[in-house]
Amino acid sequence: IDSYRATPGADVEQLTIPFGLFGGLPAGVEYAFRVRAGVEYAFRVRANDDLLNGSDWSEPITFVYDPNPPTAVTNLMGDPNPENPYPNFSWTAATDPISGVAGYVIRIKTKGGASWDAFDKFVDFPDGATGTLAWQLKVKLDPGQYTMSIAAQDVAGNIGPAEQINFSVEAPSIVPVISVLKPTEGSYNI
């Protein structure tokens, strides 16, 4: 089997497998079967030559059909320290009841920018991570205003709705240090 075609449905998909890929059947013969969301399926394959001599069967390959994206994260918060050029973020984990959340697509751009120029990556989190999650950007940001977007991605590759937050990185405050020296009597250094 090297291809299939899926027909969308509610929680049921129809997979069409071209059996013309198997020896002994004419090209274009197809078999359709229904799969349900959240159910584990297994399949195996083998090759046949023109004389219908078959190879050994492959090891079973299992899959769970997951057509649904994970939920959105909630309670997205930025770093309370605006002078931190490596800001910290926290949020309440998204959920995905079928395949589970694999991680998060995190994007950061200069506010008003057309592209996610500061950061645009999938960030892996331990499977099953729940509750409040925390993450720190390892790329230094210049002072300015930014937009951060985060969306959960499940094990099946579905990406959930993105949540966004605007935040600022400020230049560090410079606090002058004033020292008063009391010179030794009779000598002055300037």
Side-chain angles (χ1 to χ4, degrees):
I1 297 174
D2 66 1
S3 67
Y4 69 88
R5 184 172 64 244
T7 305
D11 67 341
V12 175
E13 290 285 325
Q14 178 173 310
L15 297 181
T16 303
I17 298 178
F19 274 90
L21 298 173
F22 296 93
L25 294 175
V29 173
E30 297 181 337
Y31 177 74
F33 61 97
R34 293 186 176 274
V35 292
R36 294 200 175 278
V39 175
E40 183 173 291
Y41 295 90
F43 69 92
R44 57 192 187 136
V45 296
R46 73 177 182 172
N48 288 322
D49 63 19
D50 288 338
L51 298 175
L52 298 180
N53 297 310
S55 67
D56 291 337
W57 284 99
S58 69
E59 291 297 317
I61 298 171
T62 61
F63 69 95
V64 175
Y65 174 60
D66 181 359
N68 305 321
T71 63
V73 303
T74 56
N75 303 317
L76 177 59
M77 297 184 55
D79 199 316
N81 177 8
E83 293 181 2
N84 184 1
Y86 301 95
N88 295 287
F89 300 92
S90 65
W91 60 89
T92 302
T95 59
D96 185 274
I98 296 177
S99 64
V101 174
Y104 296 85
V105 177
I106 299 177
R107 297 173 163 175
I108 298 175
K109 67 179 179 177
T110 306
K111 189 173 180 184
S115 67
W116 300 100
D117 55 348
F119 190 83
D120 186 2
K121 295 188 181 195
F122 172 80
V123 178
D124 192 18
F125 272 76
D127 290 347
T130 60
T132 301
L133 303 179
W135 176 76
Q136 182 177 23
L137 180 64
K138 303 295 184 202
V139 176
K140 184 177 182 181
L141 296 178
D142 293 328
Q145 295 190 348
Y146 296 89
T147 299
M148 183 239 205
S149 168
I150 180 169
Q153 182 173 330
D154 67 17
V155 175
N158 301 311
I159 297 175
E163 293 295 318
Q164 291 188 353
I165 188 172
N166 294 319
F167 68 98
S168 297
V169 174
E170 298 174 3
S173 302
I174 299 175
V175 178
V177 176
I178 301 174
S179 300
V180 178
L181 302 174
K182 184 176 179 184
T184 307
E185 192 170 319
S187 66
Y188 297 95
N189 294 327
I190 299 180

